[in-house]
Amino acid sequence: MFIVKINDKFVELNKPTRVLELVPQGNEDIYACKVNGRLRELPFTLDRDCTLEFLGLENNDTMLIYQNGLRYILCMAFHNLYPEVKVELNHFISQSLSIQLHNYHGPIDQNLLNNVKNEMQRIIDANYMFKKRTVSIAEAMKIFDDNGYEDKKEVTAYRPEKDAHFYECNGYINYMFGYMVPSTGYLKKFNLLLYYPLMILQYPRSDVNGGEIPEFVEEQKFSRVLRKANEWANLCGANTIANINKHTESSDLVNFVNMCEARHNAMLCELGDLIAKDIKNIRLITIAGPSSSGKTTFSNRLRVELLNRGIKPIRLSIDNYYLERGAAPLGEDGKPDLEHIEALDIDLFNRQMLALIQGQEVTLPVFNFKTGKREQGETLKISSETPIILEGIHALNDRLTSLIPKYQKFKIFISPSNQIKLDAHNPINLSDIRLIRRLVRDFKHRGSDAAETLSMWSSVRKGEFKWIYPHQDSVDYTFNSELSYEFGVLKKYAMPMLEAIPNESPYFITANRLRKILKYFVDIDESLVPCNSLLREFIGGSCFESLK
């Protein structure tokens, strides 16, 4: 006999029991569970004393499992209807997945969408079981080969374990590199849309809608960036982990690193041309993006780009305009919310920016983070030919610069928008590279361990959705700060940090998920990273560090 603690209740069991059998009758909102803090599928068997927690779609890890299942049945539907078609999935705008079809020669229209949607619904209604199979690497290679999964074969070759997994569902075989729900009947929430030449798969989100499907918002500029990133990745062999590893393992690695860096150089050059063309009007250059996008290095490199054109910008810190400690609005936790725009002295900032661009002399504030008070800083006067570079969480919010006409502002959104996949059906989350960057940076420059960084990540993400993303499609330029080789460099730093998180830690699940991505990448020596690379902001050794 053993005892299972569920919430505040204790259940005695006399034999090994699947978690599925303990789910309360009529509860259709449970998709996964935690057993002693470890993420588990519902068919997991309990055979000893433990603590059990049921998980719904309000949980991010559950949402990822749900997404795995939806991707599976989407591919299954195409296999049943159009077996010759190859499906490629990527993370896309409005928190959705894009569906690109290869070897399909018919029109991508409502008829195609209805056929696929109806077949997905049929599969869901049939409630087929997902049966997990564990086999040797050699057996997995043969199974993937027999099913035409060349890309799965290629990435599996880099798997360090001696075995591999796949799921069988009513005769169909696939693997989504993660846990699954017990059966197709769990996957009732989904939506398909046309977005020619793509189709869009929408799924429930835990981070913004509490387990519902968000409204699709057409973000034209961001979608253009993602499409260009996908085109570049396919063109340069940076679309899958296996292809990136091929570069790493060949004499082509130096060229590949420089090619990735050259893409940044080209975007900076393009950006410099755009600003120079309208420099008579542009007085403020505002830069914002989510955490660990490389904003600091980007700002420095943009300044150099403009200096090369005879433009001499200055950089000012929005952080110096914080209200004194105690004046900031309170967050949900009752603590001062320093990310809130009302935590800044908006009136002072507006007046001083307007005065500066009019050629007046202004004494800038300096915020002392130790005392929580503003102090007097330098007195500054600039010419009419000197643009001001502003970088910060609210830099794109017109409220912060409401006294400055819009035509005098040039707005830039920066974020790493990678289109890298484990294989054609398994794209890497857009936010994962930022989280890995932040883990490495916080340890390298702030002495924070992985648990400390992971503990803040949920709050950081909420702030991004509230204060940054609403402005990302109103900008003049979007800079994709992704470097396709960076996973191989960051792995050396991130893996030991993630492996140091114990099983009982509340952050083990996230750490384990990131490890499962990084383990497939071949290491890349950091000596190949240029000193002015955005990647240096996280691993150290940047030539801009002395400018801080």
Side-chain angles (χ1 to χ4, degrees), residues 232-286:
W232 186 89
N234 289 330
L235 180 68
C236 300
N239 55 341
T240 66
I241 292 177
N243 284 339
I244 291 173
N245 286 345
K246 290 175 186 176
H247 287 296
T248 305
E249 295 175 320
S250 73
S251 58
D252 182 52
L253 177 57
V254 173
N255 289 334
F256 180 62
V257 169
N258 288 326
M259 189 164 54
C260 295
E261 294 289 346
R263 185 162 65 114
H264 279 189
N265 294 340
M267 285 189 283
L268 281 161
C269 182
E270 180 182 39
L271 186 50
D273 287 343
L274 288 172
I275 293 173
K277 185 185 295 185
D278 196 30
I279 193 58
K280 290 184 179 180
N281 291 317
I282 296 171
R283 304 312 314 277
L284 295 184
I285 299 171
T286 61

Side-chain angles (χ1 to χ4, degrees), residues 28-186:
E28 297 182 353
D29 298 324
I30 294 173
Y31 299 85
C33 64
K34 289 182 183 178
V35 179
N36 289 337
R38 292 285 301 274
L39 185 65
R40 299 295 186 186
E41 295 171 306
L42 290 181
F44 182 77
T45 298
L46 306 175
D47 59 3
R48 64 196 67 185
D49 292 352
C50 63
T51 299
L52 174 64
E53 179 184 353
F54 296 121
L55 301 177
L57 288 180
E58 74 286 345
N59 179 275
N60 183 65
D61 300 301
T62 310
M63 186 269 291
L64 294 175
I65 291 174
Y66 193 99
Q67 188 194 119
N68 289 343
L70 275 186
R71 285 187 281 115
Y72 190 107
I73 65 169
L74 172 77
C75 296
M76 183 177 178
F78 270 101
H79 174 268
N80 293 347
L81 298 174
Y82 311 99
E84 73 286 354
V85 171
K86 301 293 184 182
V87 175
E88 178 185 339
L89 302 175
N90 281 297
H91 288 286
F92 202 51
I93 58 172
S94 197
Q95 305 160 62
S96 65
L97 290 169
S98 68
I99 306 165
Q100 187 173 0
L101 305 181
H102 303 280
N103 296 337
Y104 179 75
H105 305 294
I108 298 176
D109 56 13
Q110 192 65 40
N111 184 58
L112 170 66
L113 184 138
N114 289 340
N115 288 344
V116 176
K117 192 171 185 177
N118 291 338
E119 178 62 9
M120 289 180 69
Q121 192 61 58
R122 185 197 67 78
I123 294 169
I124 292 168
D125 293 340
N127 199 26
Y128 298 127
M129 298 297 296
F130 288 112
K131 301 175 183 177
K132 188 175 184 178
R133 305 286 188 239
T134 300
V135 297
S136 68
I137 293 292
E139 290 176 289
M141 292 294 201
K142 185 177 186 308
I143 290 167
F144 293 150
D145 192 41
D146 291 344
N147 286 273
Y149 294 140
E150 183 63 29
D151 52 345
K152 292 187 191 295
K153 277 183 58 183
E154 289 184 337
V155 73
T156 301
Y158 293 99
R159 183 178 173 86
E161 293 85 359
K162 294 182 179 180
D163 56 22
H165 311 291
F166 66 88
Y167 287 83
E168 186 271 330
C169 181
N170 195 40
Y172 175 72
I173 290 173
N174 207 331
Y175 183 48
M176 297 300 166
F177 293 86
Y179 287 153
M180 301 284 281
V181 292
S183 64
T184 60
Y186 281 74

Side-chain angles (χ1 to χ4, degrees), residues 296-307:
T296 301
T297 303
F298 169 76
S299 299
N300 281 311
R301 289 186 62 174
L302 176 60
R303 182 173 177 274
V304 172
E305 191 70 34
L306 296 178
L307 287 171

Side-chain angles (χ1 to χ4, degrees), residues 201-457:
L201 175 63
Q202 289 187 283
Y203 49 88
R205 298 287 304 190
S206 64
D207 45 10
V208 289
N209 278 71
E212 296 299 324
I213 298 174
E215 177 186 359
F216 183 79
V217 178
E218 188 174 9
E219 299 159 336
Q220 297 182 22
K221 294 178 181 178
F222 189 46
S223 70
R224 191 179 301 119
V225 169
L226 290 174
R227 290 198 303 272
K228 288 176 68 175
N230 190 46
E231 290 169 2
W232 186 89
N234 289 330
L235 180 68
C236 300
N239 55 341
T240 66
I241 292 177
N243 284 339
I244 291 173
N245 286 345
K246 290 175 186 176
H247 287 296
T248 305
E249 295 175 320
S250 73
S251 58
D252 182 52
L253 177 57
V254 173
N255 289 334
F256 180 62
V257 169
N258 288 326
M259 189 164 54
C260 295
E261 294 289 346
R263 185 162 65 114
H264 279 189
N265 294 340
M267 285 189 283
L268 281 161
C269 182
E270 180 182 39
L271 186 50
D273 287 343
L274 288 172
I275 293 173
K277 185 185 295 185
D278 196 30
I279 193 58
K280 290 184 179 180
N281 291 317
I282 296 171
R283 304 312 314 277
L284 295 184
I285 299 171
T286 61
I287 303 166
S291 174
S292 301
S293 291
K295 295 182 287 292
T296 301
T297 303
F298 169 76
S299 299
N300 281 311
R301 289 186 62 174
L302 176 60
R303 182 173 177 274
V304 172
E305 191 70 34
L306 296 178
L307 287 171
N308 185 50
R309 288 167 168 76
I311 302 168
K312 299 178 180 179
I314 62 166
R315 292 178 60 201
L316 297 182
S317 173
I318 296 174
D319 288 352
N320 285 326
Y321 289 84
Y322 272 119
L323 294 170
E324 294 195 353
R325 188 174 294 162
L330 301 180
E332 296 177 358
D333 57 1
K335 298 179 181 178
D337 182 1
L338 297 182
E339 290 189 343
H340 201 290
I341 192 169
E342 294 290 348
L344 297 170
D345 192 332
I346 300 172
D347 179 63
L348 177 64
F349 186 84
N350 260 296
R351 286 189 285 107
Q352 290 203 336
M353 292 306 105
L354 181 61
L356 279 172
I357 68 173
Q358 289 180 345
Q360 298 177 29
E361 192 172 81
V362 173
T363 299
L364 302 174
V366 173
F367 190 82
N368 187 323
F369 284 89
K370 291 183 179 179
T371 64
K373 295 183 178 181
R374 281 205 306 260
E375 301 171 354
Q376 185 171 301
E378 68 173 316
T379 298
L380 184 67
K381 183 178 181 180
I382 62 174
S383 74
S384 60
E385 298 177 352
T386 301
I388 302 170
I389 295 178
L390 300 172
E391 179 259 304
I393 185 173
H394 299 293
L396 302 180
N397 191 332
D398 280 325
R399 187 179 169 200
L400 190 65
T401 54
S402 60
L403 294 181
I404 315 300
K406 289 187 178 181
Y407 78 92
Q408 292 185 323
K409 292 181 278 194
F410 191 95
K411 299 180 180 180
I412 302 169
F413 177 80
I414 177 174
S415 181
S417 301
N418 62 280
Q419 294 285 266
I420 302 173
K421 299 173 282 291
L422 285 102
D423 60 44
H425 301 158
N426 292 276
I428 296 174
N429 286 334
L430 297 179
S431 61
D432 280 348
I433 184 58
R434 292 193 295 108
L435 178 52
I436 292 169
R437 283 178 173 184
R438 180 156 178 156
L439 285 164
V440 174
R441 183 202 67 188
D442 285 2
F443 179 76
K444 187 85 174 179
H445 299 291
R446 302 175 184 177
S448 303
D449 61 17
E452 185 176 349
T453 299
L454 292 174
S455 70
M456 299 184 294
W457 189 242

